[in-house]
């Protein structure tokens, strides 16, 4: 928008869509007033008002919803990925590589990038040999009709090698995002002399925005706070990865984050005024989150482009897998985390049979997990195993196991009435239920009335106290095996097994081969308050 010597530059962001294109809640098949098809209506309204709008996706597009899983499993090498067709249709100017873009392997990601009518940016993911950005230019330049010059730089959390299968990132190096952004912003300022510098970073904030104190272990996974504080020359920082909803100012930098699954888009309006020497100067910036209006209908073109994919996905989701004897339903995720539960016993059985490990730990990854009824379909499995996690077996000492249990016990605290609750530190800056592990192959008890670090009051294997100096094989997901979630006692331990099949498929195969499936009740652990 322009008025004589004043101009407003509009930026619109989507992020962490995770395959949420159509307005469907796939576990129940109910309508959901979210997703890119609904945001498409919002995008088109914004573009009518601001034809020079900069439209950016900040990553984690290709993995997530069953629609994404089916698109990956059935991808025709000769066809453009349906999600890329959608972004092309909506006229995206750029996208940033997210960590989940790698989940289905390099071939699918390469085809997606090549089919896009826009560049994919990530300055800090480089070719291991050349050192050049691996997916395209590190930044793009835009110039408006009135002469305002805008730079957009992309970067991605460099923590990806701690999660991703090595074969999916072969030939790539992940440079420190903070240092890479610092270098490129200075380069852009010196060479391009832009009026507005925007950084789109698939990463989040490591510090609490109100107190400025560290909010998580400083692993480097999230560096957005340091980027705002330490890198000079950034006007707007577009963030993601943490699935938070943010629109504010931090150290003079306008910041936004859009939540996830197409719940909202973020809009930043940058007001500029032309100076007597002809240069444009920023006078103010406003950020807001935009949600689909109640009256909005899904964008017709987006729905048409994904109609065939949706039809095949629904048929796939309704395929029967097997029958369950007993009750593997989850009535309360909070209750499941307080004592041994049949559904988690099932998860442990899958993990231990797949790997032959002596012990198993696992978390309930989805807040929407409802377990299984008597008849199980593909939809049920994918509703409970929402990430393409693979398994790793580590060799751990009894002391490592005790230390891990003490760490997992930090998930709880006591309220003013002495009742067990989730530790507030696990709810901010985002909910971290996925960092609470439950174990099989040992008997244990956690007493939350005791100080952190001394809450394991029972730890037994096969009727005897677990020996601190003995070694055990323990299966867990690859994120945890790398020490993710502040489980530093796992990092660097001997690896006995690495799998390449994700948990959803392992669970499906387990059910099919154990028909009818009868998971016996276990009571090997519990959490108490004294």
């Amino acid at each position: 928008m322009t008025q004589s010597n004043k101009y407003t530059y509009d930026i619109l962001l989507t992020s962490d869509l995770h395959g949420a294109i159509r307005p469907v809640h796939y576990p129940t098949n109910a309508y959901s007033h979210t997703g890119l098809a609904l945001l498409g209506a919002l995008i088109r309204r914004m573009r009518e008002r601001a034809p020079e709008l900069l439209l950016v996706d900040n990553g984690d597009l290709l993995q997530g919803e069953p629609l994404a899983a089916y698109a990956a499993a059935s991808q025709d090498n000769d066809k453009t990925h349906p999600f890329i067709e959608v972004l092309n249709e909506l006229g995206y100017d750029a996208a940033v590589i997210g960590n989940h873009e790698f989940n289905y392997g390099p071939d699918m990601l390469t085809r997606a990038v090549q089919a896009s009518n826009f560049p994919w940016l990530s300055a800090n993911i480089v070719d291991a040999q050349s050192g050049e950005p691996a997916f395209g230019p590190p930044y793009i330049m835009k110039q408006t009709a009135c002469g305002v010059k805008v730079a957009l730089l992309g970067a991605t959390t460099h923590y990806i090698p701690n999660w991703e299968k090595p074969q999916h990132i072969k030939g790539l190096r992940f440079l420190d995002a903070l240092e890479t952004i610092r270098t490129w912003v200075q380069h852009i300022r010196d060479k391009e002399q832009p009026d507005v510098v925007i950084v789109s970073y698939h990463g989040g904030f490591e510090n609490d925005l109100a107190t400025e104190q560290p909010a998580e272990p400083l692993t480097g996974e999230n560096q957005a706070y340091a980027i705002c504080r330490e890198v000079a020359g950034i006007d707007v920082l577009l963030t993601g990865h943490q699935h938070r909803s943010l629109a504010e100012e931090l150290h003079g930098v306008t910041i936004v984050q859009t939540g996830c699954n197409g719940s909202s888009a973020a809009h930043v309006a940058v007001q500029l005024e032309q100076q007597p020497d002809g240069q444009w100067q920023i006078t103010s910036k406003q950020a807001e989150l935009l949600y689909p209006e109640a009256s909005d209908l899904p964008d017709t073109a987006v729905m048409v482009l994904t109609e065939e994919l949706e039809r095949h996905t629904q048929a796939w989701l309704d395929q029967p897998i097997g029958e369950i004897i007993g009750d593997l339903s989850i009535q309360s995720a909070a209750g499941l985390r307080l004592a041994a539960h049949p559904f988690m016993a099932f998860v442990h059985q899958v993990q231990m049979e797949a790997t032959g490990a002596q012990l198993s730990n696992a978390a309930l990854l989805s807040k929407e997990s409802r377990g299984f009824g008597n008849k199980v379909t593909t939809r049920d499995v994918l509703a409970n195993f929402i990430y393409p996690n693979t398994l790793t077996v580590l060799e751990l000492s009894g002391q490592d196991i005790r230390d891990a249990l003490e760490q997992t016990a930090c998930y709880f605290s006591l309220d003013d009435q002495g009742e067990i609750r989730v530790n507030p530190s696990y709810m901010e800056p985002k909910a971290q239920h996925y960092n609470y592990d439950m174990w099989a192959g040992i008997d244990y008890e956690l007493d939350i009335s005791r100080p952190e670090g001394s809450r394991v009051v029972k730890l037994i294997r096969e009727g005897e106290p677990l020996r601190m100096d003995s070694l055990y094989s323990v299966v867990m997901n690859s994120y945890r095996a790398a020490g993710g979630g502040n489980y530093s006692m796992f990092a660097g331990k001997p690896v006995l097994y690495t799998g390449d099949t994700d948990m959803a498929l392992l669970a499906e195969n387990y059910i099919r081969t154990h028909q009818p499936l009868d998971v016996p009740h276990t009571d090997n652990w519990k959490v108490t308050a004294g």
Side-chain angles (χ1 to χ4, degrees), residues 21-23 31-34 36-41 295-303:
I21 308 298
R22 299 172 70 93
Y31 176 81
S32 175
H33 201 61
T34 57
L36 186 55
L38 281 160
L39 294 180
S295 59
D296 278 345
L297 297 174
D299 185 84
T300 301
V302 172
M303 296 296 279

Side-chain angles (χ1 to χ4, degrees), residues 300-516:
T300 301
V302 172
M303 296 296 279
V304 169
L305 285 171
T306 56
E307 185 175 354
E308 181 179 2
L309 177 64
E310 171 73 4
R311 186 171 64 253
H312 289 302
T313 299
Q314 289 291 351
W316 174 59
L317 288 173
D318 288 333
Q319 290 179 4
I321 291 174
E323 297 186 2
I324 304 291
I325 297 174
D327 186 5
L328 293 190
S329 64
I330 301 172
Q331 304 304 317
S332 165
L336 175 144
R337 295 186 178 100
L338 292 174
H341 187 281
F343 180 78
M344 292 309 300
F346 161 75
V347 175
H348 292 308
Q349 286 184 354
V350 173
Q351 294 192 166
M352 294 167 82
E353 181 172 292
T355 63
Q358 294 170 289
L359 311 180
S360 170
N361 74 46
L364 185 69
L365 297 176
S366 172
K367 65 182 180 181
E368 296 186 350
S369 291
R370 293 295 177 263
F372 297 138
N374 294 123
K375 296 185 182 299
V376 182
T377 65
T378 301
R379 187 187 306 275
D380 299 320
V381 172
L382 292 178
N384 287 284
F385 298 94
I386 59 174
Y387 300 114
N389 288 324
T390 55
L391 298 179
T392 300
V393 177
L394 299 182
E395 184 178 65
L396 302 178
S397 69
Q399 186 63 56
D400 294 329
I401 294 166
R402 175 178 282 276
D403 292 345
L405 287 170
E406 290 291 357
Q407 174 59 37
T408 212
C410 294
Y411 173 80
F412 294 113
S413 62
L414 299 182
D415 63 19
D416 294 339
Q417 288 73 45
E419 298 294 326
I420 296 173
R421 64 171 182 175
V422 177
N423 189 330
S425 68
Y426 278 75
M427 300 304 295
E428 295 292 340
K430 67 171 183 176
Q432 300 171 55
H433 304 298
Y434 54 85
N435 283 330
Y436 174 74
D437 288 340
M438 294 156 277
W439 287 67
I442 53 175
D443 295 341
Y444 65 95
E445 182 177 338
L446 308 178
D447 182 354
I448 308 306
S449 68
R450 297 170 64 89
E452 289 186 3
S454 61
R455 290 175 168 178
V456 179
V457 295
K458 175 184 175 183
L459 181 51
I460 293 172
R461 174 167 166 77
E462 297 178 343
E464 299 290 335
L466 193 73
R467 293 180 60 88
M468 295 296 98
D469 57 352
S470 293
L471 297 176
Y472 304 89
S473 58
V474 184
V475 58
M476 63 194 76
N477 69 46
S478 56
Y479 169 73
R480 187 70 79 241
N486 207 24
Y487 286 81
S488 58
M489 70 292 299
F490 295 158
K493 291 302 164 64
V495 176
L496 305 179
Y497 168 91
T498 54
D500 57 7
T501 304
D502 67 62
M503 270 299 292
L505 184 55
L506 290 173
E508 178 180 334
N509 291 340
Y510 187 91
I511 295 170
R512 290 185 186 277
T513 56
H514 293 79
Q515 279 299 298

Side-chain angles (χ1 to χ4, degrees), residues 65-317:
E65 295 283 3
L67 196 71
Y70 186 81
S74 62
Q75 181 65 39
D76 186 334
N77 293 354
D78 296 327
K79 287 186 177 181
T80 300
H81 192 294
F83 297 176
I84 301 302
E85 289 186 316
V86 167
L87 267 62
N88 287 342
E89 165 65 27
L90 292 174
Y92 274 76
D93 293 287
V96 173
I97 300 287
N99 54 292
H100 283 290
E101 256 65 73
F102 296 96
N103 288 166
Y104 296 121
D107 291 344
M108 193 185 91
L109 176 54
T110 298
R111 290 196 302 272
V113 170
Q114 292 175 345
S116 300
N117 294 342
F118 49 85
W120 287 76
L121 311 177
S122 188
N124 66 308
I125 304 179
V126 301
D127 182 274
Q129 292 186 333
S130 70
E132 296 297 317
F135 294 97
Y139 68 92
I140 59 171
M141 296 296 302
K142 294 282 187 178
Q143 184 161 338
T144 69
C146 65
V148 172
K149 293 177 66 178
V150 179
L152 173 67
L153 172 68
T156 307
T157 174
H158 60 255
Y159 209 63
I160 289 171
N162 292 283
W163 307 314
E164 192 52 71
K165 297 177 183 178
Q167 63 267 33
H168 287 178
I169 54 175
K170 185 178 180 181
L172 300 175
R173 281 196 295 134
F174 295 81
L175 307 180
D176 183 278
L178 170 63
E179 296 307 321
T180 303
I181 290 170
R182 191 196 313 274
T183 298
W184 278 106
V185 167
Q186 185 63 54
H187 170 85
I188 291 166
R189 284 288 183 187
D190 292 343
K191 179 183 179 183
E192 308 288 355
Q193 298 185 335
D195 302 300
V196 183
V197 172
I198 305 160
V199 174
S200 190
Y201 167 55
H202 188 84
F205 292 87
E206 69 279 27
N207 285 31
D208 183 276
L209 299 187
T211 67
E212 303 193 4
Q213 297 303 305
E216 64 182 31
L218 297 180
T219 61
E221 176 180 350
N222 298 299
Q223 298 175 295
Y225 183 86
I227 292 167
C228 290
R229 181 184 59 196
E230 299 178 19
V231 180
I234 299 174
D235 299 306
V236 179
L237 180 64
L238 314 175
T239 68
H241 185 57
Q242 290 177 316
H243 299 184
R244 300 169 67 184
S245 297
L246 302 171
E248 50 192 278
E249 195 89 1
L250 180 65
H251 293 288
V253 180
T254 301
I255 61 170
V256 289
Q257 196 171 140
T258 63
C260 64
N261 300 109
S263 58
S264 71
H267 171 229
V268 180
V270 181
Q271 284 82 35
L272 302 101
E273 187 169 341
Q274 194 168 31
Q275 305 303 298
D277 62 0
Q279 297 296 309
W280 289 91
Q281 182 175 319
I282 295 174
T283 56
S284 64
K285 298 174 289 182
Q286 289 85 38
E288 62 181 337
L289 295 180
L290 303 177
Y291 297 86
E293 296 178 5
S295 59
D296 278 345
L297 297 174
D299 185 84
T300 301
V302 172
M303 296 296 279
V304 169
L305 285 171
T306 56
E307 185 175 354
E308 181 179 2
L309 177 64
E310 171 73 4
R311 186 171 64 253
H312 289 302
T313 299
Q314 289 291 351
W316 174 59
L317 288 173

